[in-house]
mmCIF file of all heavy atoms in Angstrom:
data_model
loop_
_atom_site.group_PDB
_atom_site.id
_atom_site.type_symbol
_atom_site.label_atom_id
_atom_site.label_comp_id
_atom_site.label_asym_id
_atom_site.label_seq_id
_atom_site.Cartn_x
_atom_site.Cartn_y
_atom_site.Cartn_z
ATOM 1 N N ASP O 254 32.108 3.909 -11.085
ATOM 2 C CA ASP O 254 32.844 3.725 -9.824
ATOM 3 C C ASP O 254 32.017 4.003 -8.576
ATOM 4 O O ASP O 254 32.511 3.832 -7.465
ATOM 5 C CB ASP O 254 34.109 4.599 -9.814
ATOM 6 C CG ASP O 254 33.802 6.071 -9.672
ATOM 7 O OD1 ASP O 254 33.028 6.595 -10.479
ATOM 8 O OD2 ASP O 254 34.361 6.700 -8.763
ATOM 9 N N VAL O 255 30.748 4.415 -8.717
ATOM 10 C CA VAL O 255 29.886 4.632 -7.551
ATOM 11 C C VAL O 255 28.608 3.794 -7.718
ATOM 12 O O VAL O 255 27.890 3.953 -8.700
ATOM 13 C CB VAL O 255 29.521 6.117 -7.386
ATOM 14 C CG1 VAL O 255 28.617 6.300 -6.162
ATOM 15 C CG2 VAL O 255 30.777 6.970 -7.234
ATOM 16 N N LEU O 256 28.341 2.904 -6.770
ATOM 17 C CA LEU O 256 27.157 2.048 -6.806
ATOM 18 C C LEU O 256 25.984 2.729 -6.101
ATOM 19 O O LEU O 256 26.185 3.612 -5.262
ATOM 20 C CB LEU O 256 27.457 0.709 -6.128
ATOM 21 C CG LEU O 256 28.650 -0.086 -6.679
ATOM 22 C CD1 LEU O 256 28.853 -1.359 -5.865
ATOM 23 C CD2 LEU O 256 28.444 -0.413 -8.151
ATOM 24 N N VAL O 257 24.764 2.285 -6.415
ATOM 25 C CA VAL O 257 23.553 2.852 -5.816
ATOM 26 C C VAL O 257 22.693 1.710 -5.273
ATOM 27 O O VAL O 257 22.511 0.685 -5.938
ATOM 28 C CB VAL O 257 22.753 3.654 -6.863
ATOM 29 C CG1 VAL O 257 21.492 4.250 -6.227
ATOM 30 C CG2 VAL O 257 23.610 4.752 -7.472
ATOM 31 N N THR O 258 22.181 1.896 -4.068
ATOM 32 C CA THR O 258 21.246 0.945 -3.467
ATOM 33 C C THR O 258 20.092 1.724 -2.835
ATOM 34 O O THR O 258 20.271 2.869 -2.415
ATOM 35 C CB THR O 258 21.924 0.065 -2.399
ATOM 36 O OG1 THR O 258 22.491 0.902 -1.382
ATOM 37 C CG2 THR O 258 23.033 -0.783 -2.996
ATOM 38 N N ALA O 259 18.914 1.078 -2.761
ATOM 39 C CA ALA O 259 17.741 1.757 -2.207
ATOM 40 C C ALA O 259 16.657 0.725 -1.937
ATOM 41 O O ALA O 259 16.902 -0.484 -2.050
ATOM 42 C CB ALA O 259 17.235 2.825 -3.189
ATOM 43 N N LEU O 260 15.444 1.208 -1.596
ATOM 44 C CA LEU O 260 14.332 0.334 -1.225
ATOM 45 C C LEU O 260 13.023 0.793 -1.861
ATOM 46 O O LEU O 260 12.803 1.996 -2.004
ATOM 47 C CB LEU O 260 14.143 0.328 0.298
ATOM 48 C CG LEU O 260 15.248 -0.307 1.119
ATOM 49 C CD1 LEU O 260 15.161 0.159 2.559
ATOM 50 C CD2 LEU O 260 15.170 -1.816 1.039
ATOM 51 N N ASP O 261 12.204 -0.138 -2.213
ATOM 52 C CA ASP O 261 10.826 0.013 -2.708
ATOM 53 C C ASP O 261 10.594 -0.874 -3.924
ATOM 54 O O ASP O 261 9.608 -1.579 -3.984
ATOM 55 C CB ASP O 261 10.419 1.438 -3.066
ATOM 56 C CG ASP O 261 9.641 2.116 -1.950
ATOM 57 O OD1 ASP O 261 9.462 1.501 -0.877
ATOM 58 O OD2 ASP O 261 9.225 3.270 -2.139
ATOM 59 N N GLY O 262 11.487 -0.725 -4.948
ATOM 60 C CA GLY O 262 11.402 -1.606 -6.109
ATOM 61 C C GLY O 262 10.156 -1.416 -6.935
ATOM 62 O O GLY O 262 9.540 -2.400 -7.361
ATOM 63 N N GLY O 263 9.807 -0.174 -7.233
ATOM 64 C CA GLY O 263 8.719 0.071 -8.174
ATOM 65 C C GLY O 263 9.183 -0.223 -9.593
ATOM 66 O O GLY O 263 10.373 -0.406 -9.853
ATOM 67 N N PRO O 264 8.253 -0.270 -10.555
ATOM 68 C CA PRO O 264 8.644 -0.611 -11.927
ATOM 69 C C PRO O 264 9.657 0.351 -12.537
ATOM 70 O O PRO O 264 10.519 -0.063 -13.320
ATOM 71 C CB PRO O 264 7.312 -0.600 -12.694
ATOM 72 C CG PRO O 264 6.361 0.148 -11.816
ATOM 73 C CD PRO O 264 6.803 -0.076 -10.412
ATOM 74 N N ASP O 265 9.555 1.650 -12.195
ATOM 75 C CA ASP O 265 10.483 2.607 -12.801
ATOM 76 C C ASP O 265 11.931 2.363 -12.362
ATOM 77 O O ASP O 265 12.862 2.409 -13.176
ATOM 78 C CB ASP O 265 10.059 4.047 -12.482
ATOM 79 C CG ASP O 265 9.776 4.293 -11.006
ATOM 80 O OD1 ASP O 265 9.821 3.325 -10.208
ATOM 81 O OD2 ASP O 265 9.499 5.454 -10.646
#
Side-chain angles (χ1 to χ4, degrees):
D254 71 305
V255 180
L256 304 178
V257 180
T258 58
L260 293 161
D261 262 3
D265 50 355

